[in-house]
Amino acid sequence: MNQSEVERAVARATGESRRLIRRYGFSLMPNEVEPSSDLAIALDCPGCGSGLNAGSASTALGEIECSRCDAIYPYARDELYVADQPPRTQVPAVA
């Protein structure tokens, strides 16, 4: 598979234009590179800004619960990102 085929496949799967996909920089990974097993889907708390592991902090209703803020916030899918390491376990804020 070459770069053009990668861009075309990603554009087809996402419904975006190839130009936009090219700007994001999708590419093939070299065979000798092992993907990290420490990857996690994360998002930032809109209240305090701390990184949250979306797998453990999100609810089925599309909300995120931040133990540091002691609050629940809605989030959109475009706020999610892949973190190199899972965010650290939250420590409650000291008042």
Side-chain angles (χ1 to χ4, degrees):
M1 183 175 254
N2 62 34
Q3 185 64 33
S4 179
E5 292 171 329
V6 170
E7 292 167 359
R8 190 171 37 244
V10 173
R12 208 175 309 125
T14 62
E16 300 292 342
S17 70
R18 284 183 62 192
R19 178 178 293 167
L20 179 67
I21 299 304
R22 188 175 306 117
R23 276 196 314 207
Y24 282 131
F26 284 91
S27 63
L28 293 174
M29 290 181 62
N31 289 338
E32 60 272 356
V33 175
E34 289 293 322
S36 174
S37 61
D38 292 338
L39 295 178
I41 297 178
L43 64 145
D44 296 328
C45 173
C48 65
S50 66
L52 303 171
N53 186 335
S56 61
S58 63
T59 68
L61 299 174
E63 300 172 327
I64 183 164
E65 183 174 0
C66 179
S67 61
R68 185 173 187 185
C69 293
D70 194 28
I72 297 175
Y73 299 100
Y75 69 92
R77 290 186 345 186
D78 62 346
E79 295 177 84
L80 298 171
Y81 60 91
V82 177
D84 291 337
Q85 295 180 345
R88 287 180 269 171
T89 305
Q90 290 185 345
V91 177
V94 178

